[in-house]
Amino acid sequence: MILLTLLWEFGWLSLMAVGGANVVLPELQRIVVAHGWMSAAQLAELFALAQAAPGPNVLVVSLVGWHVAGVGGALVSMLGICLPSSLLSFYVSRWWARHRGGELTGLLSRALLPLTVGLIGASACLLLQAANRGFAGWGLSAAVALLAWKRNWNPLWLLLLGGVAGGLGWL
């Protein structure tokens, strides 16, 4: 039964993931916490792990599925998050190609941009609240955000900075 629940939850979640898995992170947190699968802090840790790994940001879904129901949970979660949105993307891209340059496609493009930016911002706020347990964590987050904004550093260096700060007991 848990596999069907994972498939259902990630299936409908995939249809809201305009812009990638990061934009549905607040809803993902609500789902995993409401089901009692893990805490918000555990999800934040899995998200950080998924971001550090090479590959798409949707890897967090497989980690959640694995945490909940092992290998089967990871596979079903990935199927749920990938299949509905892939089918939708396929059919929408065919429609988009036929109506390229039309008034409706322009309107949709302008409407989806702020939606995606807002959802990514909400995800960032949610992760900050779940991951930062004290002033030092908030300070490190602010410093990393500033460095990421002002410098074109590889994000792995910023993750290393956070790992060193945590390893030294500063967080």
Side-chain angles (χ1 to χ4, degrees):
M1 194 64 187
I2 189 72
L3 294 179
L4 287 176
T5 303
L6 285 168
L7 184 64
W8 171 256
E9 293 289 4
F10 288 118
W12 74 264
L13 194 62
S14 90
L15 296 176
M16 294 190 319
V18 177
N22 291 354
V23 300
V24 294
L25 201 57
E27 187 62 15
L28 177 60
Q29 177 183 317
R30 188 195 66 74
I31 289 168
V32 300
V33 172
H35 281 290
W37 293 338
M38 66 183 67
S39 68
Q42 287 173 309
L43 179 63
E45 291 168 1
L46 290 180
F47 182 76
L49 182 63
Q51 293 300 305
N57 60 12
V58 76
L59 289 176
V60 68
V61 170
S62 64
L63 293 174
V64 169
W66 176 75
H67 179 82
V68 172
V71 174
L75 293 173
V76 166
S77 296
M78 286 302 290
L79 179 68
I81 200 77
C82 292
L83 186 62
S85 59
S86 295
L87 290 173
L88 180 64
S89 295
F90 174 74
Y91 288 110
V92 167
S93 70
R94 291 181 65 178
W95 176 86
W96 201 275
R98 283 194 308 272
H99 298 90
R100 184 173 304 269
E103 194 173 316
L104 184 57
T105 55
L107 176 68
L108 287 171
S109 293
R110 291 188 304 275
L112 289 175
L113 179 63
L115 173 70
T116 302
V117 170
L119 288 171
I120 290 172
S123 296
C125 290
L126 183 121
L127 285 172
L128 285 169
Q129 290 172 349
N132 292 322
R133 296 178 184 101
F135 180 75
W138 284 102
L140 178 65
S141 293
V144 166
L146 186 63
L147 283 172
W149 180 40
K150 293 290 187 180
R151 304 271 184 214
N152 192 20
W153 289 0
N154 185 319
L156 290 177
W157 290 113
L158 300 174
L159 284 171
L160 179 64
L161 173 67
V164 167
L168 293 173
W170 295 347
L171 302 175

